[in-house]
């Protein structure tokens, strides 16, 4: 008998509703709670959403190819999660500060981080590809869930300073099983700090299904901490955008922290070091392909009578331009010098680190001399 079980549980009983404003056929579904957050969205904004998602998917495909060709050490694909990332980040204000995990490439790009700077980290050429204070987004966090604590602390600082910004933490469903995320929600709730915890539930924590990790919807966990919470279809960019607007407004008006569970699906691998065919069924992947976030927005634009062909061409042109620039930059990027491994570890001179640098350089010199 297995120690744990993923057998069906009626997790929907008594749970929060899942908001969906666009169904898989691109049909608009009225939502009494969230509709007014879309009132300022114009057709041009939807066209921009489409461009953003197409560019992001192209960047993801290009990065995966570059890793396979030996140009990157590793890559964490986001295929299928474009709406969750673009819909949420486009709802933020420029002075809101974001703390991402290692998969929020679209969030960073939409914040103004250049694709080549983002990939330079995955190539091993930089410890961080950008200055967080210039674009109000921290470096991507590899340690699972720890950025939630950073966001909670930043949110407490905003409150103490009397600011109107919101601190935003992104993480996946697996991170909600980490103590750091629970502790962050405790602190944010206790201090009623302006923090948005944004969980992309992509169904898999590497090879573990979300049903193994949680006996309830993840949103229900946050509700238990006293956070205002929404659960949305994460492949529906309108639902993600509207819920994020609602959550940010709640936090910005001093009403305390918020939580969004965006239910999506990681159609690619966990990282390029992973083979998802070893732990998930092909039928499940096909089921989620039918819910593709880009296809759904295209269908909605057709429903609106928009000139979809011109929007798609514009998006494709932007994707091609980004991909060409990215490939040229990565394939010509110089490797960092060994000494740079010890740079920026401390802001001030640090004798033990300086000693470690000297010892390492001496070791390399001996090695090379022995050849």
């Amino acid at each position: 008998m297995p120690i744990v079980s993923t057998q069906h549980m009626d997790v929907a009983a008594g749970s929060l509703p899942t908001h969906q404003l666009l169904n898989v056929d691109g049909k608009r579904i009225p939502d009494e709670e969230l509709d007014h957050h879309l009132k300022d969205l114009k057709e041009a904004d939807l066209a921009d959403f489409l461009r953003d998602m197409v560019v992001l998917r192209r960047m993801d495909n290009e990065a995966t190819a570059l890793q396979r060709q030996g140009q990157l050490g590793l890559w964490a694909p986001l295929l299928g999660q474009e709406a969750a990332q673009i819909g949420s980040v486009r709802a933020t204000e420029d002075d809101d500060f974001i703390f991402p995990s290692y998969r929020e490439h679209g969030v960073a790009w939409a914040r103004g981080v250049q694709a080549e700077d983002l990939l330079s980290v995955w190539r091993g050429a930089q410890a961080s590809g950008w200055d967080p204070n210039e674009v109000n987004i921290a470096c991507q966090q590899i340690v699972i869930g720890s950025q939630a604590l950073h966001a909670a602390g930043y949110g407490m600082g905003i409150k103490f300073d009397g600011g109107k910004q919101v601190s935003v933490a992104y993480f996946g469903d697996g991170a909600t099983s980490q103590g750091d995320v629970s502790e962050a929600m405790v602190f944010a709730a206790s201090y009623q700090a302006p923090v948005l915890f944004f969980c992309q539930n992509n169904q898999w924590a590497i090879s573990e299904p979300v049903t193994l990790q949680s006996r309830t919807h993840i949103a229900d966990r946050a509700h238990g901490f006293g956070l205002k919470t929404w659960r949305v279809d994460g492949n529906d960019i309108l639902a993600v955008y509207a819920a994020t607007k609602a959550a940010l407004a709640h936090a910005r008006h001093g009403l305390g922290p918020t939580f969004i569970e965006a239910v999506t699906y990681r159609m690619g691998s966990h990282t390029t070091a992973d083979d998802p065919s070893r732990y998930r069924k092909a039928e499940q992947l096909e089921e989620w392909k039918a819910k593709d976030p880009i296809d759904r927005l295209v269908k909605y634009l057709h429903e609106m009578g928009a000139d979809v062909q011109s929007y798609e061409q514009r998006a494709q042109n932007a994707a091609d331009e980004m991909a060409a620039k990215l490939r040229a930059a990565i394939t010509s990027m110089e490797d960092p010098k060994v000494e740079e491994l010890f740079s920026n570890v401390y802001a001030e001179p640090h004798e033990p680190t300086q000693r470690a640098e000297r010892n390492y350089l001496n070791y390399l010199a001996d090695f090379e001399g022995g050849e």
Side-chain angles (χ1 to χ4, degrees):
M1 176 179 290
I3 297 175
V4 294
S5 171
T6 58
Q7 289 182 343
H8 173 73
M9 294 161 287
D10 188 12
V11 294
S15 295
L16 295 166
T18 302
H19 294 272
Q20 184 185 64
L21 278 63
L22 280 183
N23 68 16
V24 294
D25 296 320
K27 305 286 186 185
R28 183 73 163 83
I29 301 172
D31 187 295
E32 185 176 351
E33 181 183 0
L34 295 180
D35 274 352
H36 71 282
H37 291 289
L38 302 178
K39 66 180 187 305
D40 294 329
L41 274 186
K42 304 293 190 298
E43 182 180 308
D45 298 314
L46 300 180
D48 287 347
F49 288 169
L50 175 63
R51 178 205 57 202
D52 290 348
M53 290 196 290
V54 169
V55 170
L56 181 54
R57 182 164 293 188
R58 180 64 176 274
M59 180 170 70
D60 191 46
N61 290 337
E62 196 69 30
T64 300
L66 285 166
Q67 195 283 327
R68 300 303 189 206
Q69 295 162 7
Q71 295 292 335
L72 302 181
L74 188 70
W75 180 248
L78 56 78
L79 180 63
Q81 299 179 221
E82 295 87 353
Q85 296 199 16
I86 296 299
S88 56
V89 69
R90 290 304 186 198
T92 63
E93 300 292 339
D94 289 344
D95 58 354
D96 293 332
F97 203 100
I98 295 173
F99 294 85
S101 80
Y102 51 81
R103 205 181 299 279
E104 270 74 60
H105 315 308
V107 176
W109 174 79
R111 274 279 160 159
V113 176
Q114 297 297 305
E116 55 270 29
D117 292 334
L118 180 64
L119 266 64
S120 69
V121 179
W122 295 86
R123 182 179 168 83
Q126 299 280 347
S128 172
W130 64 90
D131 182 344
N133 291 319
E134 290 182 354
V135 286
N136 285 338
I137 179 169
C139 308
Q140 291 183 310
Q141 181 57 257
I142 299 295
V143 179
I144 304 298
S146 60
Q147 73 276 15
L149 284 169
H150 306 160
Y154 195 94
M156 290 165 61
I158 292 172
K159 179 164 185 177
F160 296 152
D161 289 346
K164 289 297 182 184
Q165 310 96 319
V166 178
S167 175
V168 184
Y170 281 87
F171 47 85
D173 47 285
T176 62
S177 297
Q178 291 287 99
D180 284 7
V181 174
S182 294
E183 292 160 16
M185 289 194 285
V186 168
F187 268 88
S190 296
Y191 285 86
Q192 289 291 280
V195 183
L196 165 57
F197 297 94
F198 191 94
C199 174
Q200 292 181 81
N201 174 6
N202 69 13
Q203 311 295 321
W204 292 95
I206 308 183
S207 58
E208 288 194 358
V210 68
T211 50
L212 181 63
Q213 300 180 59
S214 181
R215 297 287 172 173
T216 67
H217 289 154
I218 289 173
D220 297 329
R221 288 181 172 179
H223 199 238
F225 282 93
L227 275 60
K228 177 66 176 174
T229 302
W230 290 264
R231 189 173 196 265
V232 300
D233 179 341
N235 285 12
D236 169 2
I237 197 166
L238 294 189
V240 173
Y241 179 86
T244 307
K245 279 286 188 186
L248 292 169
H250 182 96
R252 210 180 303 283
H253 286 93
L255 300 176
T258 54
F259 188 101
I260 292 174
E261 178 189 359
V263 184
T264 181
Y265 191 80
R266 190 196 75 213
M267 290 201 287
S269 56
H270 172 70
T271 69
T272 46
D274 167 53
D275 177 6
S277 68
R278 295 174 65 88
Y279 54 80
R280 72 182 183 193
K281 296 179 179 177
E283 294 82 2
Q284 186 183 57
L285 178 59
E286 292 304 314
E287 175 188 339
W288 279 90
K289 282 183 178 178
K291 302 175 184 178
D292 188 284
I294 297 177
D295 291 347
R296 194 181 308 194
L297 181 57
V298 168
K299 290 174 183 174
Y300 180 54
L301 287 168
H302 277 295
E303 284 284 324
M304 295 174 62
D307 184 359
V308 180
Q309 185 175 7
S310 69
Y311 292 150
E312 288 184 308
Q313 187 60 57
R314 184 184 73 137
Q316 191 59 52
N317 291 343
D320 290 345
E321 182 180 350
M322 180 281 303
K325 182 183 175 192
L326 173 61
R327 176 164 285 274
I330 292 297
T331 55
S332 61
M333 191 171 287
E334 294 184 4
D335 291 336
K337 296 179 179 177
V338 173
E339 296 92 314
E340 294 179 33
L341 179 65
F342 300 90
S343 302
N344 302 316
V345 177
Y346 291 93
E348 305 291 337
H350 187 257
E351 201 282 330
T353 303
Q354 293 171 327
R355 184 170 64 248
E357 179 181 354
R358 289 194 300 272
N359 291 340
Y360 188 56
L361 292 177
N362 287 336
Y363 163 74
L364 291 180
D366 290 343
F367 184 76
E368 291 170 356
E371 288 182 340

